[in-house]
Amino acid sequence: MKEKIVAKFTEIYGRAPTVVTRAPGRIEFIGNHTDYNGGIVLGASIDRGIAVAVAPRDDAQRRFASDYSGATPKIVAVGGGKPQRQDGDDAWTNYPLGIIDSFPAFNLTPPEGFDYLAVSDLPVGSGLSSSAAIELASALAFLAITDQAPSREEVVKLARHAENNFVGVPCGILDQGVSGFGKKDHLVFIDCRALTFDTVPLPPDTHFWVFNTHTKHALADGLYEARHTECMDAAKTLGVELLVDGTIEALEAARPKLNESVYRRAKHVIEEIERVRQTVEALKRGDLAEVGKLITASHRSSQHLFENSTPELDFLVDQLTGILDVYGARLTGGGFGGAVMAMTNGRFDEKAADLVADAYRQRFQERPEVLHMQTGDGASVL
Ligand code: ADP
Ligand code: MG
């Protein structure tokens, strides 16, 4: 990827970049809607990502280009100083601009003028967090040209700050945490309340297949918000600040005071947090069969208790979990549409994936997008 981006940068700007960085996309492995409940989550950094090349300029002009804006990238030039939000075709520059805008909040000095290029092999909007990848890669590049080296925790928080405040997407810490702390043949474990990051080994021959339905429930945003409210209501009734401090015993005791759907949302979250713990234990024993069972149990809980699955996602999970080479399958991300990921051994192949995609098309007319990946390293300077 480095040679390709250096060549492209030189072609566009007529000189070589001084720094090249890269950050991966991610898969939510297990831990569904646990983040805002103060819980824990496991994510996988994948072997696809976004590379960023930068060279400082003598003037204050900031010039951006990306393969995202077509085969012959258009150069978007903006002035120095505090970044202004961009609209329309140039809106993608809000990701790197958001990073620059967030520098002062982390006591960092923003870069002035530079030339910038992003090159990606990560599909956009497939639930793999291309946004976190471009944020992390941009952050490392801007830090390199300004000779600043905050801790990796700070870089991850900076990237999230940019997405929350400048881009305006209220995401949790999973996307940036996994892209920032990822490691090949590992999963990233995040404690969302303490904001601490760790890695857990994953056997090298583990594969991921993502089936993206490209469906989204018309009310997805409102439903997400409603789930959030139900979780906070349940916590209040249990007398805890966040559901991470709730127990199944306390929930059962409080059941008469809870309406049925609030009870079910809380049961999902409390049990899901426990499933993440059990997944870490099973991974330490190298017991992938057990990990697979936990993944599928997570989906069933989404389906029946949290009710953030859809017939499309359930269909994919039903198909996938009937296949010998699949350890487990679950919806990945917020739900109410989107994608299912399957964890498989190395024998599961394109042919097997095609059969699943064909069955899906027979049932729902559209063919899902199928992506195969393994784990890959986290954000770094190349
Ligand atoms: P995702 O699930 O992929 O993170 P988002 O909507 O959060 O979806 O982020 C996608 C946005 O990230 C794109 O609309 C674009 O603005 C930006 N982006 C992703 N990849 C690139 C790229 N290669 N170059 C420029 N911008 C990109
Ligand atoms: Mg995103």
Side-chain angles (χ1 to χ4, degrees):
M1 208 167 196
K2 188 172 179 181
E3 272 167 33
K4 186 180 156 198
I5 193 168
V6 169
K8 191 98 194 156
F9 187 99
T10 309
E11 186 189 317
I12 296 171
Y13 293 112
R15 60 189 178 124
T18 52
V19 60
V20 177
T21 62
R22 181 191 168 277
R26 64 97 190 94
I27 299 174
E28 178 194 284
F29 187 79
I30 190 168
N32 196 248
H33 287 255
T34 54
D35 56 351
Y36 54 82
N37 289 297
I40 50 182
V41 60
L42 279 168
S45 56
I46 59 174
D47 52 5
R48 294 167 184 252
I50 300 185
V52 164
V54 171
R57 294 174 59 88
D58 293 334
D59 60 21
Q61 243 197 74
R62 293 170 178 150
R63 301 208 291 172
F64 295 95
S66 167
D67 61 352
Y68 180 66
S69 57
T72 324
K74 166 189 165 195
I75 296 178
V76 181
V78 301
K82 187 173 162 54
Q84 303 296 312
R85 279 183 60 88
Q86 306 296 305
D87 300 316
D89 285 350
D90 301 342
W92 70 268
T93 60
N94 288 326
Y95 291 90
L97 286 171
I99 294 294
I100 295 172
D101 193 61
S102 294
F103 264 40
F106 291 80
N107 292 316
L108 297 164
T109 308
E112 276 302 320
F114 55 77
D115 294 332
Y116 170 110
L117 174 66
V119 169
S120 174
D121 62 8
L122 187 62
V124 171
S126 291
L128 300 174
S129 202
S130 63
S131 57
I134 195 168
E135 287 155 9
L136 264 298
S138 300
L140 291 185
F142 297 146
L143 288 167
I145 60 166
T146 53
D147 283 323
Q148 299 174 98
S151 69
R152 187 47 66 110
E153 278 84 359
E154 287 288 288
V155 178
V156 163
K157 289 175 191 170
L158 166 90
R160 180 192 181 186
H161 185 274
E163 180 138 355
N164 290 167
N165 297 285
F166 196 83
V167 180
V169 177
C171 61
I173 195 68
L174 174 74
D175 302 356
Q176 293 80 12
V178 175
S179 186
F181 281 90
K183 201 168 154 190
K184 187 169 158 43
D185 299 327
H186 286 73
L187 296 177
V188 179
F189 174 88
I190 305 180
D191 181 325
C192 302
R193 177 158 61 179
L195 285 188
T196 54
F197 308 88
D198 207 350
T199 53
V200 189
L202 183 75
D205 196 35
T206 313
H207 295 252
F208 296 103
W209 291 79
V210 170
F211 294 79
N212 187 359
T213 66
H214 288 291
T215 56
K216 189 181 175 196
H217 196 295
L219 303 173
D221 292 343
L223 288 168
Y224 202 104
E225 196 52 47
R227 293 296 181 277
H228 184 276
T229 306
E230 287 171 322
C231 290
M232 297 307 145
D233 285 352
K236 209 167 163 192
T237 307
L238 295 187
V240 294
E241 189 201 343
L242 293 166
L243 278 179
V244 65
D245 292 324
T247 60
I248 282 298
E249 295 73 32
L251 180 68
E252 293 303 335
R255 189 167 185 177
K257 289 188 272 178
L258 295 166
N259 88 31
E260 176 62 18
S261 65
V262 171
Y263 165 80
R264 280 194 273 166
R265 310 307 181 231
K267 185 167 157 72
H268 166 82
V269 170
I270 293 169
E271 290 180 345
E272 182 77 353
I273 291 170
E274 183 52 32
R275 268 190 292 274
V276 177
R277 269 194 205 100
Q278 289 173 4
T279 303
V280 172
E281 291 310 311
L283 283 167
K284 283 184 186 157
R285 299 192 304 270
D287 186 352
L288 289 186
E290 178 64 17
V291 172
K293 278 186 199 152
L294 290 160
I295 287 176
T296 305
S298 164
H299 182 81
R300 296 307 176 198
S301 179
S302 284
Q303 181 178 352
H304 301 298
L305 294 176
F306 211 68
E307 297 183 271
N308 61 331
S309 187
T310 63
E312 288 87 350
L313 300 175
D314 295 340
F315 180 86
L316 285 169
V317 169
D318 291 347
Q319 294 283 317
L320 285 159
T321 51
I323 299 169
L324 201 62
D325 294 322
V326 174
Y327 292 111
R330 62 183 288 272
L331 69 82
T332 178
F336 307 113
V340 160
M341 76 97 179
M343 180 177 86
T344 77
N345 63 32
R347 286 184 298 274
F348 188 90
D349 58 8
E350 287 296 337
K351 244 199 212 140
D354 274 348
L355 288 177
V356 174
D358 286 345
Y360 182 95
R361 184 174 46 193
Q362 287 212 341
R363 173 73 184 272
F364 297 104
Q365 283 71 54
E366 302 283 332
R367 200 183 155 80
E369 175 189 22
V370 179
L371 300 160
H372 171 210
M373 60 210 80
Q374 289 193 271
T375 57
D377 281 326
S380 68
V381 173
L382 296 183

